[in-house]
């Protein structure tokens, strides 16, 4: 699972704010990366994770949020969070 680690301490992650705009539209979050001219639409768990990352949090908090929100087991939540964070990181959307 990707982690922001400095001096052996896990640091909170956050959505990048520069050249990025997003809005809640109904049940979805619509993201526009102005730097890359990329549009992204998130629903369900993606929206929940995005909103958590907008406020800054670590992976453990994201896992807990999914478990509480959707009643899934820890292993599945860890897998889902890892995939989501990796995708955002690959897209350059994390600060």
């Amino acid at each position: 699972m990707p982690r922001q680690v400095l001096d052996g301490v896990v640091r909170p992650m956050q959505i990048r704010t520069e050249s990025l705009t997003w809005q809640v539209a109904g049940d979805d979050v619509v993201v526009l990366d102005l730097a890359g001219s990329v549009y992204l639409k998130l629903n369900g768990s993606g929206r929940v994770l995005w909103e958590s990352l907008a406020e800054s949090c670590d992976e453990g908090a994201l896992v807990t949020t999914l478990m509480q929100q959707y009643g899934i087991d820890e292993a599945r939540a860890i897998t889902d969070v890892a995939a989501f964070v990796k995708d955002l990181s690959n897209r350059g959307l994390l600060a």
Side-chain angles (χ1 to χ4, degrees):
M1 183 180 289
R3 302 187 113 167
Q4 292 186 351
V5 179
L6 182 62
D7 298 326
V9 178
V10 176
R11 304 287 181 205
M13 295 177 289
Q14 188 167 12
I15 298 299
R16 155 173 77 78
T17 56
E18 185 177 310
S19 300
L20 188 70
T21 185
W22 61 278
Q23 290 287 325
V24 174
D27 292 333
D28 302 326
V29 169
V30 178
V31 180
L32 181 58
D33 179 0
L34 302 172
S37 298
V38 175
Y39 164 87
L40 183 63
K41 180 179 171 187
L42 304 169
N43 57 23
S45 61
R47 176 185 172 171
V48 169
L49 294 175
W50 181 271
E51 290 177 328
S52 295
L53 285 167
E55 299 296 323
S56 180
C57 63
D58 63 26
E59 292 174 38
L62 294 174
V63 168
T64 299
T65 297
L66 283 188
M67 290 170 57
Q68 291 174 345
Q69 193 87 11
Y70 294 98
I72 61 176
D73 64 60
E74 185 177 27
R76 175 158 178 210
I78 288 170
T79 300
D80 290 353
V81 166
F84 188 75
V85 169
K86 181 179 180 183
D87 185 49
L88 293 183
S89 181
N90 289 343
R91 293 173 186 264
L93 298 177
L94 296 177

